[in-house]
Amino acid sequence: MSAEDAGPVGWPVRVRVPVEPVEAAMEADAADAAVRHSALVVRGPLFGVAAQSKDDGPGWRVVVEVTHGCPQQARDGLNSLLWFRAKDDVKSAAERRALLAAVARLENEYVDELTVLDTRYRVVRAEEYAAIDANGDIEAPRPTDPEPLTPDWTPGAGARSPRVDADLVLDPGAPVSPLQAAERLSLRSLAYSGTRFPEVVLRDSAQALETHPDVLLMPTAFLIVERSGSEPWSPGSGLQATAHDARRTLAFALTWMEPRQRGLIPYDAERDVDAHTVVAENTSPAVGELAMFAEAAERLRAGRLNEVEVLGTVSRIARVRRLLRWGPDGPEGPRPSDISNHAPRVLHPRLDEHGTVHFEQSAEDEAAS
């Protein structure tokens, strides 16, 4: 398929037929998955920040991962990015002043786009969705989804995981496989519908089809979903870059977090206390229940499983996708109906133009104390 023949006039899609064995296997896997999971469920918007400089060409680099639940969280991410750049990565006081001026705006205004030192930053909006089968079950990782050769099961904060959207460049002109092109073209008309959405949300969604008529598919991500009995699936974690990272997160939740939330292990217990250690010591009246969590985590680790059940709750590793709408001026930003859960605020100590960090209390803090 040529660029001229793909999609509506003015919004071509470049298609590259997979020729390498691995690419061909992934395309065949995607075709099989499309048959098994033929419907989509949309969870809602996610937000991040993309940047464009003269060295990027038409593409936009993701600088704050598109995983945040509201626009202000993405703005806060940009605030921190620019503050630390001003602190650690400038060549002159003039550069630092420019960065700190942008930080000051982000501390006080709802800023969705700004230009600093010839780089354009924009809060971007993506739609998170997943494929489901005829029974409403969410798609699990595919056989061809990347897996580490040597899985690292280091728990909690000690784990070294790839960041979601690391080094990602958003470029709707980049070539895609035939099935990716088909998915992309089919999703151009995706818009909210139904009475459960407020009228303003429906109006903004319909308007986005006009202002941002193309869509770009972002890399696949993974998360934990959970359900008990006949309840619908609900998210149990944030997005992870690989299925293994989601499994490791689930293993940690089963042995450390879930026992604390259920009162099987005290919240103030030492950090290295988990279901495994309590079962090994055999000193708790809850050892039977804790053994179930420990055993489920071990099965997850040993078999690279994508689903386990403990005490009536099923936890699954789900494969999720994100689409980002695209218009003549680039990626879509927040819509008027998108709501933030907090206001702009000061996130870091005062940094002066010489690079000195001042940790003294602000007048506002002193008045509050």
Side-chain angles (χ1 to χ4, degrees), residues 6-299:
V9 175
W11 294 101
V13 176
R14 295 178 60 198
V15 180
R16 180 175 61 83
V17 177
V19 293
E20 298 294 333
V22 173
E23 292 179 318
M26 293 178 70
E27 188 75 351
D29 198 13
D32 291 341
V35 174
R36 295 191 305 270
H37 298 83
S38 56
L40 300 180
V41 58
V42 177
R43 180 182 172 192
L46 295 172
F47 302 88
V49 178
Q52 186 183 50
S53 68
K54 61 183 179 180
D55 298 326
D56 294 324
W60 291 69
R61 291 176 293 107
V62 174
V63 295
V64 175
E65 60 270 22
V66 188
T67 61
H68 298 282
C70 76
Q72 189 55 45
Q73 290 175 333
R75 297 182 196 113
D76 290 347
L78 179 58
N79 181 330
S80 290
L81 178 77
L82 298 180
W83 189 90
F84 279 104
R85 183 179 171 190
K87 175 178 174 289
D88 302 323
D89 188 26
V90 294
K91 298 178 181 177
S92 67
E95 286 188 1
R96 184 173 287 113
R97 283 195 297 269
L99 290 164
L100 292 177
V103 169
R105 285 194 62 194
L106 288 162
E107 290 174 341
N108 295 280
E109 304 173 30
Y110 293 93
V111 181
D112 289 330
E113 182 161 338
L114 51 78
T115 298
V116 189
L117 299 175
D118 297 325
T119 297
R120 187 182 183 189
Y121 297 92
R122 176 180 296 175
V123 176
V124 297
R125 180 191 198 276
E127 207 73 64
E128 182 185 352
Y129 65 101
I132 58 173
D133 64 14
N135 298 318
D137 283 336
I138 298 177
E139 182 182 13
R142 298 174 184 171
T144 51
D145 286 328
E147 297 275 6
L149 293 177
T150 305
D152 175 13
W153 291 99
T154 305
R160 289 180 292 178
S161 303
R163 294 180 64 88
V164 175
D165 299 334
D167 302 318
L168 177 62
V169 175
L170 304 172
D171 181 6
V176 294
S177 75
L179 281 171
Q180 288 172 332
E183 183 175 359
R184 179 171 162 184
L185 291 172
S186 69
L187 291 173
R188 281 180 170 172
S189 60
L190 178 67
Y192 295 158
S193 62
T195 57
R196 70 187 184 95
F197 293 102
E199 183 61 33
V200 63
V201 173
L202 296 175
R203 185 170 61 248
D204 284 352
S205 184
Q207 181 67 23
L209 301 185
E210 303 296 326
T211 59
H212 297 79
D214 196 12
V215 298
L216 182 148
L217 303 182
M218 301 185 69
T220 300
F222 303 86
L223 81 161
I224 304 165
V225 293
E226 302 170 339
R227 73 175 178 189
S228 299
S230 59
E231 296 177 0
W233 292 103
S234 61
S237 74
L239 294 188
Q240 304 287 335
T242 71
H244 171 70
D245 289 303
R247 290 190 200 101
R248 177 170 54 195
T249 300
L250 176 55
F252 176 74
L254 289 170
T255 58
W256 199 94
M257 184 59 69
E258 191 69 19
R260 283 166 169 78
Q261 291 179 337
R262 290 174 177 258
L264 304 177
I265 295 177
Y267 261 107
D268 58 357
E270 295 293 332
R271 180 165 181 81
D272 59 353
V273 174
D274 64 8
H276 290 293
T277 60
V278 175
V279 169
E281 294 171 357
N282 196 23
T283 57
S284 169
V287 68
E289 291 173 283
L290 290 171
M292 296 181 190
F293 285 103
E295 189 271 338
E298 285 307 307
R299 286 191 288 114

